[in-house]
């Protein structure tokens, strides 16, 4: 079984253009930022470079463990899948995520969870992020 | 317009009464798209005739456009106000995260009126406006102000922090507004207008979404534009060396203004070229929000602390062509280190680099000619190439300890009217000269462009293209070329697309992008809109006393050869006349 996961290759390559954030939002055909599962902010001012906050694809994800209804199903390649019908919108996953990479969809009252689809990768002009393919639990 | 697009919401903020409200201005955004088109209409509405630029009646208008937040390199915000520097149309553009933040906060424009009794900063979100005490920030450098507000306010990554430094507080008429540390509403003194209102900073944050009717078409057009930008030359050019790539070619042409334009080539150009800066100092490149080009170049300057062995600090200082010209060749400074230190001070104080450089260049020549005494300059002696003295000088510009510095803080046109030296005071329509001595089109553009900027009609590029083709400029080519370009750029700055991406956003492409938003416009209709906006700008200018008959070139430009040879006064006069005729036509409605 093949599965993929997103990786930040080298954060020092990041110029802070936020094209990845806009790309993620476009998956739904929408322009803007409110549904983006990736966020880029400066590390305390542009002079210090950037932080790319995106799902770490943990193999034992704390977010999944924190969910009281089991709405976050662990993916084979790491990270989780949100089963929206189970999610009660309590926000515990947001707090549990060690790398602060779960955002909140205000309009739905549910978390925004990276699906590791890789759409953003094509819109990062500087090769900061990459999609890795994992074969039967092993890195390809 | 996308159905339900909040861009038609105009946020009004009254600093005197500390209140705010939102008005729906759909018709305005439907007709003018946004940006400068909407902005000039709002300025005509909000700015009373004859307003004091530093009085509470002068509005500050920030406007974004419908492509902001939707398409790449639509990354700019337009600011409109009455300029304290020229006493007329004030228009300045900046990127950073300003455009994304305003758009995503769900506003098309922010109109700031009145004036506060105490120093304030504003914190703006989709919910409205927070008025915050800024007394503790008053007097602070632009960097520090940004740092404090960044720590104090939430929403990192989706916000803009536009702020002024001491220069704006002290009402230097060419004080700028800095956003995201390295981008500027640079020209024409928006910083002083902030200062006059006791407005230290404006933070805007937001992260909404918009749903274009046809999302498939949206993704398709987006991809086309994105790929065109990232595969184009422009990307490579502006990303690799950035605008400083122009230093050597302009110097080779003999078009790089040097030592107050006593020369148009600089013998030390190699030392201050884009290549040299990159090799010696380039430490990081950064981008405006939603722009893949990433043209902002930061130099890392490592310096030892005096008196402490093995202790260093590293400053990150942004450099571009214009500051290299104004604070480098124009002042005869041929060392990148000296120049970077000077640039950093200019940034800390929040001054417009171009006007500052030209003001100091003029002062240096005044001193060399014995036209002002050392007493008038508070003991300071300026000499070409001596950056330490220039660093001292920029502080004096802000502190204004003598009547001379008080005058210089209003620009070279004002100062030379008092102290003489007008022949070599390089101001056009009251605004200091940009770094292009390329030929007649450049200088005509500075004088005639609606904001006296090289970016109005891009005369420098007209001059260069003629040179490449081996053609001589004619009055018709120059005047028509400048006006047509300026008219088209009104469209780009209504969307608001960065001019660096103008090669991609050709009329057909803009039409395609607008189609995603539900517009069915032809390139001709768009161009017409451009002319209409330009007409409104001239209406404002004439209303505020702009006199086409009184326009004058500084003598100096006729004394130094351009790549097109010596400029001919007859030619320039004739071009002026033709231009006047065209503007009168335009005002009569013949677009
Ligand atoms: S991989 Fe997909 S879901 Fe994850 S951040 Fe990128 S675009 Fe968004
Ligand atoms: S697209 Fe790439 S360079 Fe731009 S912000 Fe995202 S990760 Fe950084």
């Amino acid at each position: 079984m093949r599965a993929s996961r997103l990786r930040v290759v080298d954060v020092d390559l990041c110029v802070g253009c936020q094209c990845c954030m806009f790309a993620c939002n476009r998956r739904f055909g929408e322009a803007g930022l409110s549904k983006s599962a990736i966020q880029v902010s400066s590390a305390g001012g542009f002079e210090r470079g950037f932080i790319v906050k995106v799902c770490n694809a943990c193999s034992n994800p704390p977010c999944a463990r924190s969910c009281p209804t089991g709405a976050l199903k662990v993916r084979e390649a790491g990270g989780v899948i949100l089963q929206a019908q189970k999610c009660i919108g309590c926000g515990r996953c947001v707090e549990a995520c060690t790398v602060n990479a779960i955002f909140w969809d205000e309009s739905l009252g549910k978390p925004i969870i990276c699906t590791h689809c890789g759409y953003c990768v094509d819109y990062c002009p500087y090769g900061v992020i990459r999609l890795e393919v994992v074969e039967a639990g092993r890195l390809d | 317009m996308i159905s339900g697009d909040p861009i038609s919401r105009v946020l009004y903020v009254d600093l005197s009464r500390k209140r705010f409200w939102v008005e729906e201005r759909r018709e305005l955004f439907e007709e003018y798209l946004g940006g400068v088109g909407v902005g000039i209409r709002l300025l005509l509405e909000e700015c009373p005739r004859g307003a004091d630029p530093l009085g509470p009646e002068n509005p500050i208008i920030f406007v974004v456009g419908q492509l902001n937040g939707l398409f790449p390199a639509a990354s700019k915000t337009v600011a409109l106000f009455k300029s304290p520097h020229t006493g007329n149309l004030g228009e300045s553009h900046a990127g950073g995260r300003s455009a994304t933040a305003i758009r995503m906060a769900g506003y098309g424009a922010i109109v700031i009126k009145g004036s506060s009794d105490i120093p304030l900063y504003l914190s703006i979100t989709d919910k409205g406006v927070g008025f915050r005490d800024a007394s503790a920030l008053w007097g602070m450098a632009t960097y520090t102000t940004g740092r404090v507000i960044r720590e104090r306010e939430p929403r990192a990554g989706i916000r803009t922090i536009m702020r002024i430094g001491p220069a704006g507080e002290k009402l230097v008429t060419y004080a700028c507004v800095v956003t995201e540390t390295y981008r500027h509403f640079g020209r024409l003194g928006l910083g002083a207008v902030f200062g006059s209102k006791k407005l230290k900073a404006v933070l805007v944050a937001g992260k909404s979404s918009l749903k274009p009717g046809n999302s498939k078409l949206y993704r398709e057009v987006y991809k086309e534009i994105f790929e065109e930008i990232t595969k184009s030359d422009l990307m490579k050019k502006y990303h690799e060396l950035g605008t400083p790539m122009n230093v050597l070619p302009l110097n080779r042409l003999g078009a790089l203004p040097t030592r107050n334009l006593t020369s148009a080539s600089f013998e030390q150009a190699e030392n201050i070229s884009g290549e040299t800066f990159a090799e010696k100092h380039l430490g990081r490149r950064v981008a405006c929000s939603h722009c893949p080009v990433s043209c902002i170049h930061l130099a890392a300057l490592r310096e030892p602390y005096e008196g402490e062995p093995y202790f260093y600090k590293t400053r990150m200082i942004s450099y571009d062509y214009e500051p290299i010209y104004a604070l480098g060749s124009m002042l005869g400074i041929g060392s990148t280190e000296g120049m970077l230190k000077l640039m950093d001070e200019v940034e800390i104080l929040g001054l417009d680099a171009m006007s500052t450089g030209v003001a100091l260049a003029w002062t240096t020549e005044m001193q060399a000619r014995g036209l002002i005494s050392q007493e008038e300059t508070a003991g300071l002696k300026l000499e070409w190439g001596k950056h330490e003295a220039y660093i001292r000088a920029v502080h004096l510009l802000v502190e204004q300890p003598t009547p001379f510095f008080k005058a210089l803080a209003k620009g070279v046109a004002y100062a030379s009217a008092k102290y003489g030296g007008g022949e070599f005071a390089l101001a056009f329509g009251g605004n200091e000269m940009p770094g292009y001595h390329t030929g007649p089109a450049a200088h005509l553009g500075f004088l005639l462009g609606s904001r006296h900027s090289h970016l109005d009609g891009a005369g420098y590029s007209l001059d260069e293209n003629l040179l490449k083709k081996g053609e001589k400029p004619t009055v018709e080519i120059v005047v028509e070329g400048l006006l047509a370009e300026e008219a088209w750029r009104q469209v780009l700055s209504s969307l608001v697309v960065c001019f660096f991406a103008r090669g991609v956003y050709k009329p057909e492409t803009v039409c395609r992008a607008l189609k995603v938003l539900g517009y069915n416009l032809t390139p001709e209709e768009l161009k017409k809109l451009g002319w209409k906006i330009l007409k409104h700008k001239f209406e404002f200018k004439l209303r505020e006393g702009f006199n086409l008959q009184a326009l004058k070139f500084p003598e100096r430009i006729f004394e130094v050869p351009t790549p097109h040879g010596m400029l001919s006064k007859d030619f320039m006069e004739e071009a002026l006349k033709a231009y006047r005729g065209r503007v009168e036509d335009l005002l009569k409605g013949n677009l």
Side-chain angles (χ1 to χ4, degrees):
Chain A
M1 186 132 175
R2 289 165 76 86
S4 55
R5 68 180 185 211
L6 193 71
R7 275 278 181 253
V8 176
V9 183
D10 179 358
V11 76
D12 282 320
L13 289 173
C14 177
V15 298
C17 67
Q18 305 189 318
C19 290
C20 52
M21 293 164 64
F22 283 99
C24 184
N25 218 70
R26 264 196 324 285
R27 291 176 305 144
F28 310 98
E30 290 191 18
L33 300 172
S34 68
K35 297 199 185 300
S36 186
I38 181 165
Q39 237 215 41
V40 178
S41 53
S42 78
F46 274 38
E47 64 270 40
R48 290 184 170 72
F50 300 93
I51 301 169
V52 179
K53 277 190 218 153
V54 69
C55 175
N56 184 48
C58 309
S59 48
N60 180 14
C63 56
R65 280 181 272 134
S66 79
C67 177
T69 67
L72 296 170
K73 201 172 125 218
V74 181
R75 294 171 77 245
E76 192 168 347
V80 293
I81 296 167
L82 174 70
Q83 297 165 298
Q85 72 283 4
K86 285 195 190 172
C87 169
I88 54 170
C90 67
R92 283 197 210 165
C93 55
V94 175
E95 287 186 16
C97 177
T98 319
V99 293
N100 290 325
I102 298 186
F103 307 102
W104 201 247
D105 187 331
E106 301 283 350
S107 63
L108 297 177
K110 302 215 169 174
I112 302 169
I113 304 279
C114 175
T115 62
H116 297 269
C117 68
Y119 190 75
C120 54
V121 172
D122 291 340
Y123 290 94
C124 172
Y126 300 103
V128 178
I129 39 185
R130 184 175 67 204
L131 202 68
E132 288 177 349
V133 177
V134 180
E135 189 89 46
R138 268 195 6 256
L139 199 57
D140 212 7
Chain B
M1 192 179 291
I2 295 175
S3 109
D5 191 337
I7 194 147
S8 51
R9 298 170 76 231
V10 177
L11 174 68
Y12 291 84
V13 184
D14 181 344
L15 295 173
S16 305
R17 296 185 180 81
K18 323 273 186 296
R19 52 187 284 271
F20 66 90
W21 64 98
V22 173
E23 279 176 34
E24 189 58 49
R25 298 303 300 269
R26 200 175 167 89
E27 53 350 301
L28 216 50
F29 280 87
E30 282 284 6
E31 188 175 352
Y32 292 96
L33 302 173
V36 72
V38 168
I40 189 65
R41 292 306 307 265
L42 289 172
L43 187 69
L44 281 159
E45 265 176 33
E46 292 295 335
C47 181
R49 185 187 298 268
D52 172 1
L54 298 176
E57 66 270 33
N58 189 18
I60 297 168
I61 301 169
F62 290 111
V63 210
V64 294
Q66 293 185 49
L67 296 196
N68 292 116
L70 273 102
F71 287 101
S75 46
K76 294 260 172 158
T77 304
V78 173
L80 284 148
F81 50 98
K82 185 169 174 184
S83 164
H85 195 50
T86 61
N88 210 300
L89 177 68
E91 179 189 335
S92 195
H93 304 182
R97 291 197 177 136
S98 59
T100 294
I102 296 172
R103 183 83 165 106
M104 294 290 108
Y107 304 108
I110 300 172
V111 179
I112 302 171
K113 316 206 277 189
S115 138
S116 174
D117 45 351
I118 56 157
L120 282 181
Y121 78 87
L122 302 177
S123 178
I124 300 177
T125 65
D126 57 339
K127 307 260 166 3
V129 182
F131 296 87
R132 311 262 201 269
D133 187 334
S135 323
L137 302 177
W138 209 245
M140 262 187 202
T142 54
Y143 289 124
T144 325
T145 306
R147 253 186 218 184
V148 173
I149 297 179
R150 250 192 325 264
E151 284 301 306
R152 212 168 166 261
E153 297 279 337
R155 301 186 183 83
I158 51 162
R159 64 188 180 186
T160 183
I161 303 174
M162 309 184 267
R163 68 263 195 183
I164 59 168
E169 297 172 14
K170 292 278 169 54
L171 310 179
V172 177
T173 61
Y174 42 97
C176 70
V177 170
V178 178
T179 184
E180 283 62 81
T181 317
Y182 298 114
R183 296 288 90 189
H184 313 89
F185 292 95
R187 310 227 67 194
L188 298 174
L190 182 60
V193 183
F194 263 56
S196 72
K197 298 186 177 314
K198 291 229 166 51
L199 181 60
K200 183 67 178 173
V202 177
L203 176 148
V204 188
K207 68 182 274 195
S208 56
S209 284
L210 286 151
K211 205 168 174 65
N214 183 342
S215 44
K216 195 167 153 272
L217 182 70
Y218 171 47
R219 275 201 293 249
E220 198 178 295
V221 178
Y222 188 104
K223 189 157 186 260
E224 278 168 32
I225 294 177
F226 189 87
E227 284 181 354
E228 210 182 323
I229 295 174
T230 48
K231 295 204 175 104
S232 64
D233 273 3
L234 110 116
M235 172 87 174
K236 210 169 131 63
K237 267 189 353 200
Y238 287 115
H239 179 70
E240 279 183 359
L241 293 179
T243 55
M245 71 193 160
N246 287 322
V247 174
L248 289 180
L250 282 169
N251 189 57
R252 240 177 273 128
L253 278 179
L256 177 67
T258 301
R259 288 182 288 265
N260 204 36
L261 194 58
T262 49
S263 164
S265 62
F266 186 35
E267 63 291 346
Q268 300 182 72
E270 290 280 349
N271 298 345
I272 61 165
S273 68
E275 292 79 353
T276 304
F277 265 100
E279 279 156 23
K280 284 175 71 177
H281 303 290
L282 183 57
R284 192 181 289 290
R285 292 189 188 92
V286 297
C288 293
S289 175
H290 213 172
C291 174
V293 178
S294 177
C295 75
I296 309 164
H297 288 59
L298 306 184
L301 187 66
R302 182 169 176 258
E303 290 171 280
Y305 276 94
E306 267 172 53
E308 269 203 71
Y310 305 117
F311 195 48
Y312 299 88
K313 65 173 163 188
T314 302
R315 293 194 264 174
M316 299 297 279
I317 303 159
S318 81
Y319 63 92
D320 257 305
Y321 172 71
E322 296 295 346
I324 293 178
Y325 137 74
L327 302 171
S329 65
M330 206 51 172
L331 302 178
I333 298 179
S335 97
T336 50
E337 288 83 5
M339 201 190 306
L340 283 168
K341 286 182 198 166
L342 177 59
M343 283 179 190
D344 201 34
E345 294 307 317
V346 167
E347 189 87 89
I348 285 170
L349 295 167
L351 286 160
D352 172 39
M354 279 196 248
S355 287
T356 302
V358 174
L360 297 182
W362 174 79
T363 308
T364 312
E365 190 167 342
M366 286 292 280
Q367 272 200 331
R369 288 170 177 250
L371 292 173
I372 41 164
S373 67
Q374 222 158 303
E375 199 181 314
E376 278 160 319
T377 56
L380 189 69
K381 175 103 184 76
L382 294 174
E383 270 174 275
W384 303 124
K386 299 272 164 48
H387 70 267
E388 293 89 352
Y390 287 120
I391 288 178
R392 178 88 193 98
V394 293
H395 285 272
L396 293 175
L397 262 179
V398 173
E399 290 158 21
Q400 301 161 37
T402 63
F404 175 77
F405 278 109
K406 279 197 177 68
L408 197 61
K410 294 185 164 67
V412 290
Y414 183 92
S416 63
K418 267 192 122 145
Y419 291 86
E423 322 82 71
F424 53 87
L426 290 159
F428 295 76
N431 198 21
E432 284 73 13
M433 175 185 172
Y436 305 90
H437 189 55
T438 49
H443 289 292
L444 280 158
F446 304 156
L447 193 62
L448 305 174
S450 55
R451 52 191 177 123
H452 306 287
S453 155
H454 59 296
L455 296 171
D456 287 324
Y460 61 100
S461 135
L462 224 165
D463 283 330
E464 287 174 60
N465 288 337
L466 288 171
L467 272 178
K468 270 188 216 135
K469 289 191 275 180
E471 281 176 27
K472 271 202 161 332
T474 66
V475 165
E476 194 183 330
I477 290 181
V478 171
V479 172
E480 294 306 318
L482 283 171
L483 274 166
E485 183 65 24
E486 186 167 3
W488 170 246
R489 287 184 179 212
Q490 305 314 307
V491 175
L492 296 179
S493 38
S494 295
L495 294 169
V496 178
V497 167
C498 176
F499 287 164
F500 288 173
R502 66 185 178 276
V504 171
Y505 281 93
K506 292 188 271 297
E508 296 69 26
T509 309
V510 172
C511 289
R512 233 173 114 61
L514 284 172
K515 197 159 174 121
V516 173
L517 313 187
Y519 283 92
N520 262 318
L521 290 169
T522 63
E524 278 57 48
E525 288 169 319
L526 271 184
K527 286 184 193 162
K528 252 199 160 136
L529 177 66
W531 285 105
K532 187 158 101 181
I533 295 167
L534 191 57
K535 174 176 173 240
H536 290 318
K537 283 168 72 166
F538 277 104
E539 281 163 2
F540 181 85
K541 282 180 79 94
L542 293 182
R543 195 193 84 176
E544 296 306 317
F546 184 63
N547 184 351
L548 279 162
Q549 308 298 326
L551 290 175
K552 270 184 65 186
F553 292 101
E555 262 320 291
R556 173 59 47 82
I557 66 165
F558 298 104
E559 294 165 0
V560 177
T562 75
H564 282 287
M566 281 292 191
L567 293 176
S568 134
K569 282 194 183 162
D570 292 343
F571 179 94
M572 298 300 260
E573 274 310 316
E574 214 187 304
L576 260 178
K577 213 172 111 207
Y579 178 85
R580 272 185 219 119
R582 287 289 276 122
V583 172
E584 275 154 23
D585 254 14
L586 180 62
L587 288 165
K588 277 188 221 130
N590 305 330
L591 304 181

